[in-house]
Every structure is written in structure tokens, then in C-alpha cells.
Amino acid sequence: MAKRNGSAIKVFDCIEPTATIVKKILPSSWNLEKVVAHDREARLKQTVAGLKQQGIDASYEVVIGNPVENITREVIQNGHDIVIKTAQGSIKHKEEGFFSTTAIRLMRICPCPVCVVDPDQSDRFGRILIAVDTQQEDSQRQLLNKKILEMGISLAEREEAQLDILVPWSAFGESVMNVKMSDDEIKAYINAHQSEVQNNLDELLKDFMERIDPDRVYVQHGDLDRILLDFTEKNGVDMLVIGTIARKGISGMIVGNTAEKVIHKIRCSVLTVKPDGFESTVAPDQQDDSATP
């Protein structure tokens, strides 16, 4: 990806501090953290040397401390465009969800897009799915939808991947309307809601029509997280591109329950995109208790 985009790479490794119980049983003269850090540095040095041989501007750094906070702070301080990491899981655990706690927390609080890759993923993503929500008309969501589309479409173009766009939707309160409304009234309400979803989608896609296949845009009614999960499983999706946004008063959380459920259950690589102006809960100038080895 870096070669195709002419980008620089920083290979960043963060070692969690030694547990208190381990420190108690080790000789006082031992500094296990630094031993591990130097071993990791030697490995990264070899990796970076290989990248440089391919003509890539590459560097590396190993630090000791909380991985999520240190990776996020690195992004904030040095303006990285994307974080790419492995899900740190194995194929046999996918039925339980294979994203590590670190990966999920990075999706929540890291201000730049976070790409968490299936460890069994090949070099290229053959099929990419973009999921957008056109039910909300506020300006922040509209801008985020455009950002999701631009990033997902650009990735599909560079990867020469098949691109699908999925718009899952459900009408607010439809499951309890039979208490107060007739079947005809419920049907009219749902049809009106669907029309609004489609109108919003048409407006959203008008600037992208030359870059997408209209026949691969799917508007599906039903349980939102189930629609996303079923689509990825049944269609062999390699990468899901989805937006995350801070809920009011809860900085850095994934919006609502839908994206959160999907992130915990999805079985493919995921690229999460934040809105412009997203504020992380990690302070850029906050100092970690552990020093760089």
C-alpha cells in the first residue's frame, strides 16, 4: 500500500510494562522490559532494512508503556494518516471475534483511520464493502459518509478490488407500532422512511457515480448489525469500511450499538474512519510513565 501511494512507513512496537508480580520474582538487577525491547528493536531493524531495499522511506521505534495510548499519541504528535495492525487473532477463534482489546480500543480513540487486518489476509483485498448510514441528516454524519466513501473507493481502486456499498436501515419504532397503528399505516410509514433513505443516498452518491457500479449498491431493510454481518459472511468480504463517531458526552466511543456489535462479531478486516475534528481522549503531550528503551 505504501509503495502504491508513495508513502512513508513507521513500524511502531509498544511493549507493555512488566507486571508487578513478575518484578517481585525477578532479580533486582534484571530489566526484563529493556531485554525484550532490544530484541524487538533488532527484529524491526531487519524489517525496516527490507522495506528500504524496496525503495520505501521507513523508520521504526520501540517504546514501553500502554500500547493504545502510545500508538494514539504517536499519531497525534507526528500526523500519521493511517494505523495498520493485525487483529492478533487466529482463524480458529473467528467465531468468537478475533479483534484484540488493543485493536478495538484503537478503533475507538485513535483520531486517524485504523485498519485492523485479518492475520490470514492475503496481500490484496479482493472484495471491499463500504457501509454508510443515510438515515441521519446532520451535517457531521453527511461529511463522515463522504469521507468513508472516498477512502473506501480509493482503496478499492488501488487494490483493483470489487466494491460493494451497503446501506442498512430500519424505521424508528417500527417493531412496536402495531400497538397504536394499523397495518396500512405501518406500511405507509415504513415506505416513507425508505424513500427518505433512498433520497439521501442518491444525494450522497451523486459525486461518486463515475467511480462506482450502481448495481453493487444495496439498500437493505432490517436489523442493522445482522445485515452487515450476514453480507460480509455470505459474500466473502475481505475488508469492511465503516465510520465511527463520538457520541455526545462520550468522547471517542463508536456511535450507537450497531458499529460496536459489528466490531465485536465481524470476521474480516476492518477499516474504521473518524469524522474530521474528532478529538481523542489521549492528550498529545501527555507523558507515559515508562521511558523509551
Side-chain angles (χ1 to χ4, degrees):
M1 187 182 294
K3 288 180 72 174
R4 288 191 290 274
N5 288 277
S7 305
I9 289 178
K10 183 167 187 177
V11 187
F12 192 84
D13 195 355
C14 189
I15 301 164
E16 295 199 47
T18 306
T20 302
I21 189 171
V22 175
K23 289 182 178 180
K24 286 182 178 179
I25 62 178
L26 285 175
S28 58
S29 60
W30 286 24
N31 189 329
L32 190 57
E33 292 172 353
K34 287 195 174 183
V35 172
V36 174
H38 287 310
D39 177 69
R40 299 276 184 90
E41 269 194 334
R43 297 184 190 187
L44 293 193
K45 188 175 182 179
Q46 291 182 338
T47 299
V48 166
L51 293 173
K52 288 182 175 180
Q53 287 178 355
Q54 299 179 56
I56 297 172
D57 178 6
S59 60
Y60 69 91
E61 184 176 359
V62 179
V63 301
I64 298 171
N66 181 285
V68 175
E69 292 181 2
N70 277 280
I71 293 170
T72 301
R73 193 170 298 116
E74 168 68 23
V75 167
I76 294 172
Q77 291 176 342
N78 294 297
H80 298 289
D81 297 306
I82 188 170
V83 170
I84 303 176
K85 75 177 300 299
T86 177
Q88 294 186 353
S90 62
I91 192 76
K92 64 182 179 181
H93 293 139
K94 283 187 179 180
E95 64 275 8
E96 302 170 4
F98 62 98
F99 293 129
S100 67
T101 302
T102 296
I104 292 174
R105 288 193 63 210
L106 278 172
M107 293 182 204
R108 289 174 178 156
I109 72 171
C110 187
C112 75
V114 176
C115 181
V116 183
V117 183
D118 181 344
D120 298 300
Q121 177 64 45
S122 62
D123 290 343
R124 284 182 177 268
F125 301 105
R127 188 162 186 175
I128 295 173
L129 173 64
I130 301 174
V132 293
D133 176 11
T134 65
Q135 297 184 94
Q136 306 293 333
E137 298 185 33
D138 63 90
S139 58
Q140 188 182 41
R141 287 178 187 266
Q142 290 173 357
L143 291 172
L144 178 59
N145 278 333
K146 289 183 179 181
K147 189 173 181 180
I148 295 166
L149 282 166
E150 180 58 47
M151 185 158 291
I153 292 170
S154 296
L155 179 62
E157 290 170 343
R158 288 177 173 82
E159 295 290 304
E160 299 180 352
Q162 178 175 297
L163 176 67
D164 299 300
I165 298 173
L166 179 62
V167 186
W169 69 276
S170 62
F172 177 77
E174 65 179 274
S175 62
V176 296
M177 283 185 174
N178 57 357
V179 177
K180 294 284 187 180
M181 300 173 68
S182 67
D183 289 345
D184 287 342
E185 288 174 322
I186 294 173
K187 183 177 180 181
Y189 169 73
I190 292 176
N191 287 342
H193 193 101
Q194 182 175 10
S195 295
E196 284 301 309
V197 169
Q198 186 64 55
N199 290 338
N200 292 341
L201 177 62
D202 292 342
E203 178 66 22
L204 174 65
L205 295 180
K206 68 180 184 180
D207 294 332
F208 299 95
M209 294 307 296
E210 294 183 359
R211 302 169 65 192
I212 66 173
D213 180 353
D215 292 334
R216 305 207 73 87
V217 179
Y218 307 93
V219 180
Q220 295 188 3
H221 174 233
D223 185 67
L224 278 67
D225 59 296
R226 188 68 259 167
I227 288 172
L228 280 171
L229 293 170
D230 285 347
F231 193 99
T232 58
E233 292 172 6
K234 292 177 181 178
N235 295 282
V237 172
D238 297 311
M239 167 71 75
L240 170 64
V241 184
I242 191 170
T244 66
I245 190 171
R247 292 187 298 200
K248 186 176 181 180
I250 311 178
S251 179
M253 289 296 290
I254 294 176
V255 65
N257 293 323
T258 300
E260 187 75 19
K261 290 178 182 178
V262 169
I263 295 302
H264 282 285
K265 296 178 182 178
I266 202 72
R267 303 179 184 183
C268 66
S269 302
V270 173
L271 173 61
T272 55
V273 183
K274 306 291 194 311
D276 292 337
F278 176 89
E279 293 185 7
S280 176
T281 53
V282 175
D285 55 352
Q286 182 180 341
Q287 295 298 314
D288 200 309
D289 293 336
S290 302
T292 301

